[in-house]
Amino acid sequence: MTAKTPPIRLAIHGGAGGIRRDKLTPEREQAFVQVLTQSLQTGYQVLVQGGTSTDAVAAAIVIMEDSPVFNAGKGAVFSHEGHNELDASIMDGASLNAGAVAAVTTIRNPILAAQAVMTNSPHVMLIGTGAEHFAAEQGLEIVEPSYFFVQHRWNQLQKAKENEQIALDHDLETESQTQAKTQNDEKHGTVGSVALDHYGNLAAGTSTGGLTNKRFGRIGDTPIIGAGTYADNRSVAISATGTGEMFIRTAAAYQTAIQVRLQNMPLAQAADDTLAEIAAIGGEGGLIVLNAKGDYALRFNTSGMFRGVIGNDGIVHIGIFPGNEIPAQSR
Ligand code: ASP
């Protein structure tokens, strides 16, 4: 008998929201699928080569931050003042060590800055120019704020200002399709990843530009440990996307993890319970959840969530809408 290969697994999301089949052109869908595939394969390579779950999570997120199609890194949404203010966090489920940055405007890959905060500082969260100085000292790539500019995000800001909206917005629409949105048509574009490595360790990370037209230094759930991100080997790794304020108010990621740990709740049920609480206070979004056996649940209460998963066999599974695009593995 040969020893059983320990499970490895990586799951990602690229935001949940009112994604509509009739508005998603084949070209746009292809663009999303291509980046999700590359993200999964990049994280998988880290895991297959014996890398850690935190490195796999960071590598998978860097691909999505570097792509203009997601609301993280390049292509992030604009604040009211016309800036890209980025938030990110990461957590190691073995040590409960964590790192985060918020409202940074010049760090090319905020997730790497969050990882550096976790690994190379005694702190958990650094913000603004302080975080940028730290990232530069760590040798991370610093860019001009204009690096993050993408025209359709700029157009979205103008639209949001006209409509006096503070919008969670994935922007799947082409410019000609952009119309005043109803609440149900809003989209969320944060990216995130959870991973299980060969050593049995879990990690989670999340990165975002936040909300279009946000003001006054608004920060959402993404860089807040226990809200947008959480990982604990005793329960699960989680990354969230959605209406950040409600995810903070429900301590969404921690709440989901503690239900699994203390109640032994199945992952999908724990995620759905949390999403129901979020819905009850007027929020919406999604959660990706992974445990140390490699079981996962990718749940959302919106019309769609960009998501994907890969395991030992290296086969990429990607889903956008509800249904069976991804094999159910949740226990
Ligand atoms: N949760 C993010 C925030 O509130 C937004 C998103 O998921 O799209 O900043």
Side-chain angles (χ1 to χ4, degrees):
M1 275 235 331
T2 52
K4 204 166 165 264
T5 318
I8 54 169
R9 178 89 62 198
L10 183 111
I12 57 173
H13 70 78
I19 306 163
R20 289 173 44 178
R21 282 185 203 269
D22 58 337
K23 284 204 173 170
L24 187 59
T25 63
E27 296 74 36
R28 289 289 282 166
E29 179 168 346
Q30 196 41 45
F32 284 111
V33 168
Q34 196 190 330
V35 181
L36 292 170
T37 302
Q38 198 192 342
S39 169
L40 285 169
Q41 287 173 338
T42 302
Y44 173 76
Q45 280 308 319
V46 173
L47 294 175
V48 160
Q49 287 162 19
T52 64
S53 51
T54 50
D55 281 343
V57 159
I61 290 178
V62 161
I63 298 293
M64 294 188 281
E65 286 181 337
D66 285 349
S67 156
V69 303
F70 292 109
N71 173 19
K74 187 173 182 63
V77 300
F78 284 93
S79 69
H80 185 76
E81 291 76 20
H83 303 141
N84 304 110
E85 298 170 9
L86 312 173
D87 307 326
S89 66
I90 194 163
M91 185 162 185
D92 170 18
S95 60
L96 302 187
N97 201 358
V101 294
V104 296
T105 60
T106 61
I107 301 171
R108 173 173 168 164
N109 292 111
I111 194 67
L112 297 181
Q115 193 180 19
V117 173
M118 173 172 83
T119 313
N120 300 334
S121 92
H123 308 301
V124 170
M125 188 188 285
L126 301 179
I127 65 163
T129 49
E132 289 165 359
H133 286 146
F134 173 79
E137 270 185 28
Q138 292 292 309
L140 296 179
E141 189 173 350
I142 302 299
V143 292
E144 288 298 319
S146 60
Y147 161 81
F148 299 104
F149 181 92
V150 168
Q151 186 66 46
H152 76 258
R153 294 294 190 203
W154 183 255
N155 298 348
Q156 267 188 315
L157 172 63
Q158 310 316 317
K159 258 287 178 284
K161 280 181 161 179
E162 274 167 35
N163 299 331
E164 291 181 11
Q165 277 183 319
I166 301 171
L168 288 131
D169 211 328
H170 202 305
D171 189 60
L172 287 171
E173 300 141 319
T174 64
E175 272 166 63
S176 62
Q177 288 172 317
T178 304
Q179 296 150 0
K181 290 175 187 148
T182 63
Q183 185 74 16
N184 288 339
D185 199 23
E186 289 180 351
K187 296 152 185 96
H188 318 289
T190 295
V191 305
S193 175
V194 290
L196 169 66
D197 63 28
H198 268 128
Y199 318 101
N201 291 324
L202 292 169
T206 316
S207 181
T208 192
L211 309 185
T212 298
N213 204 18
K214 63 186 179 182
R215 296 179 81 175
F216 310 120
R218 181 267 182 191
I219 306 287
D221 59 318
T222 300
I224 298 181
I225 298 302
T229 300
Y230 201 73
D232 181 345
N233 279 1
R234 295 169 297 178
S235 55
V236 287
I238 300 190
S239 172
T241 176
T243 47
E245 281 70 8
M246 287 72 167
F247 282 70
I248 296 172
R249 287 164 58 194
T250 55
Y254 184 73
Q255 174 179 157
T256 309
I258 206 72
Q259 298 268 48
V260 173
R261 190 177 133 211
L262 299 184
Q263 319 264 25
N264 206 17
M265 204 180 261
L267 308 191
Q269 192 189 330
D272 288 349
D273 275 13
T274 300
L275 290 170
E277 282 205 26
I278 286 166
I281 56 169
E284 63 172 15
L287 293 163
I288 60 171
V289 189
L290 173 69
N291 71 14
K293 287 186 280 185
D295 300 329
Y296 59 87
L298 316 179
R299 310 294 292 178
F300 49 99
N301 63 4
T302 53
S303 62
M305 177 168 79
F306 291 104
R307 61 199 190 279
V309 67
I310 193 164
N312 292 67
D313 60 11
I315 296 173
V316 166
H317 299 281
I318 287 176
I320 301 175
F321 300 103
N324 57 1
E325 294 142 308
I326 296 188
Q329 269 263 337
S330 180
R331 310 261 181 278

